[in-house]
Amino acid sequence: MYATLFANTCPLAIIDGQVVGSVIAFRSQVDPSEIYLQDVMTHPSHRRKGITRMLVEEVRRQGLLWACRRLFLTSEPDNHAAHRAWLALGFSNIPGDTQDQGVSVIYDYKGPGKHRAVYERSIDAEPADGRLY
């Protein structure tokens, strides 16, 4: 459904007829210059092959077409693999209320007791390592 209704911001990675990765992202209705990446998923057997990078880049390209300024996403504070991935993809961890194991966290970001690390990236910024894929 997302890939149909929100096809511009919900790309899929398909290898040999199987979905191996996807992004579910939405352009903000409150601030159309922002795109929120709700879910970023890559099948475990296909990780570390550039699939997430390719999918996020596809959303970024769409953001450029719409003249958006920012991509952002959240992650659970103890998801250290995600933290490393977001930094490698050019995202910055937004300063929050506290630090948890080196990750800045905003209290109650997704509701009471749902503390999250929040990451952002300028739409016009390329990943820190300069690779698009």
Side-chain angles (χ1 to χ4, degrees), residues 11 13 41 48 54 58 73 114 117 119 123 125:
M41 300 160 282
R48 304 195 55 78
M54 177 189 64
E58 187 62 29
L73 56 89
K114 295 182 180 179
Y119 299 86
I123 292 281

Side-chain angles (χ1 to χ4, degrees), residues 2 33 43 58-59 67 81-82 90 95 98 109 118 122 127 130:
Y2 291 115
S33 73
H43 189 278
E58 187 62 29
V59 174
T98 191
Y109 191 83
V118 181
S122 173

Side-chain angles (χ1 to χ4, degrees), residues 38-104:
Q38 170 68 38
D39 292 301
V40 180
M41 300 160 282
T42 302
H43 189 278
S45 67
H46 290 277
R47 290 184 182 153
R48 304 195 55 78
K49 296 179 180 179
I51 291 171
T52 297
R53 180 181 302 277
M54 177 189 64
L55 292 168
V56 170
E57 177 58 22
E58 187 62 29
V59 174
R60 185 187 79 87
R61 275 197 295 270
Q62 183 60 50
L64 282 170
L65 293 174
W66 286 335
C68 294
R69 293 190 312 263
R70 178 174 92 127
L71 297 175
F72 74 105
L73 56 89
T74 67
S75 182
E76 295 194 9
D78 61 350
N79 190 339
H80 302 294
H83 176 75
R84 288 188 302 275
W86 305 139
L87 296 180
L89 290 172
F91 286 83
S92 298
N93 182 208
I94 295 175
D97 303 313
T98 191
Q99 289 276 322
D100 182 348
Q101 300 178 51
V103 177
S104 187

